[in-house]
Every structure is written in structure tokens, then in C-alpha cells.
């Protein structure tokens, strides 16, 4: 049996594309790094997944951090809930939330969470973790 190789770039792009489906975010608002003051808000920052090899390379446990940056706390919460629901398409499950944070440079609120999923190298799929 030949195992698929973990492709972090492709997986990250899949998550970015899924988040970009949310109208408030769009393709220009799904970022891989924190925005600067010139960014058009709201934005969503998706960190590339951290991976932990399991079962001799047959599966990887992936965890990613995602934050929504918005004008206020309630818009950040609302958009984050849309992100959480969208990511269920890939079996990502919210494991923990981050506290609200006001960014002094951008004057925006950010709120996010940690998501987990198991990537199956046997059939190249995202399994519930």
C-alpha cells in the first residue's frame, strides 16, 4: 500500500479557498499573515497547519489557528461562526477559542480559534478526529 505524501501547501490553500467563500471575507480577505493598516477589513488569517505523524505515517493529526479581524467584537464573532461552519466541509472541528484582542496598530478586534482534523494518508481525505 502506497501512502499519499502530506502536502502542507495544498492543504493550506484548500482551507484558504474555503474561507474565501464567505462573502464578508472573499478572496482578498483570506490571508496567511496578520494584516497591516492598509488591509480592507474584515479579514481572516489562516495559519498553515501544524502536523503530528500518527500510526506509522498512515495519518496526520493537523491543527490550525484561524482568526477573524473586524471592526467590532460582534462582527468578529459572527464571521468566525461562518468560518467554523464552512470548515466543517473538511471535517475541521473547533477545539478551543482564543480570547478577544484589540490590535492597536489596525484598531480592529480579532477573535479566533484552534481547529483540528485528521488527514488520512491512505485515501487522501480529512477524517473526523
Amino acid at each position: 500500500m502506497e501512502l499519499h505524501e502530506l502536502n502542507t501547501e495544498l492543504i493550506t490553500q484548500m482551507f484558504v479557498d474555503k474561507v474565501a467563500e464567505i462573502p464578508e471575507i472573499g478572496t482578498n480577505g483570506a490571508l496567511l499573515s496578520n494584516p497591516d493598516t492598509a488591509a480592507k477589513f474584515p479579514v481572516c488569517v489562516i495559519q498553515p497547519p501544524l502536523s503530528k505523524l500518527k500510526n506509522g505515517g498512515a495519518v496526520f493529526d493537523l491543527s490550525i489557528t484561524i482568526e477573524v479581524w473586524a471592526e467590532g467584537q460582534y462582527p468578529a464573532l459572527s464571521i468566525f461562526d461562518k468560518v467554523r461552519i464552512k470548515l466543517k466541509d473538511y471535517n475541521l472541528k473547533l477545539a478551543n477559542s482564543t480570547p478577544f484582542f484589540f490590535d492597536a496598530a489596525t484598531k480592529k478586534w480579532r477573535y479566533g480559534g484552534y481547529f483540528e482534523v485528521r488527514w488520512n494518508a491512505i485515501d487522501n481525505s480529512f477524517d473526523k478526529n
Side-chain angles (χ1 to χ4, degrees):
M1 167 178 53
E2 188 172 329
L3 300 176
H4 293 270
E5 290 290 325
L6 179 68
N7 185 330
T8 306
E9 178 186 5
L10 177 62
I11 288 172
T12 302
Q13 188 63 56
M14 290 172 67
F15 297 156
V16 166
D17 291 345
K18 184 58 70 176
V19 168
E21 292 175 8
I22 298 166
E24 294 91 338
I25 301 297
T27 54
N28 293 329
L31 309 174
L32 296 177
S33 61
N34 289 347
D36 59 19
T37 56
K40 183 177 181 258
F41 292 90
V43 300
C44 186
V45 177
I46 301 105
Q47 297 294 324
L50 301 173
S51 61
K52 183 175 182 181
L53 181 66
K54 304 283 259 188
N55 298 334
V59 296
F60 286 82
D61 284 346
L62 304 179
S63 62
I64 62 168
T65 303
I66 296 180
E67 289 183 323
V68 172
W69 296 53
E71 293 287 333
Q73 293 173 326
Y74 287 114
L77 284 171
S78 175
I79 296 167
F80 183 77
D81 281 341
K82 292 175 184 178
V83 168
R84 179 181 50 77
I85 291 165
K86 266 293 181 199
L87 291 177
K88 284 183 180 179
D89 290 352
Y90 290 133
N91 289 323
L92 273 95
K93 182 175 114 181
L94 181 63
N96 205 353
S97 297
T98 61
F100 273 116
F101 181 80
F102 183 76
D103 182 71
T106 61
K107 307 236 184 303
K108 304 295 185 246
W109 286 94
R110 67 186 199 199
Y111 178 75
Y114 308 102
F115 292 83
E116 295 178 345
V117 69
R118 178 163 283 172
W119 179 74
N120 185 328
I122 297 169
D123 58 10
N124 193 25
S125 66
F126 297 112
D127 297 337
K128 290 184 179 178
N129 195 358

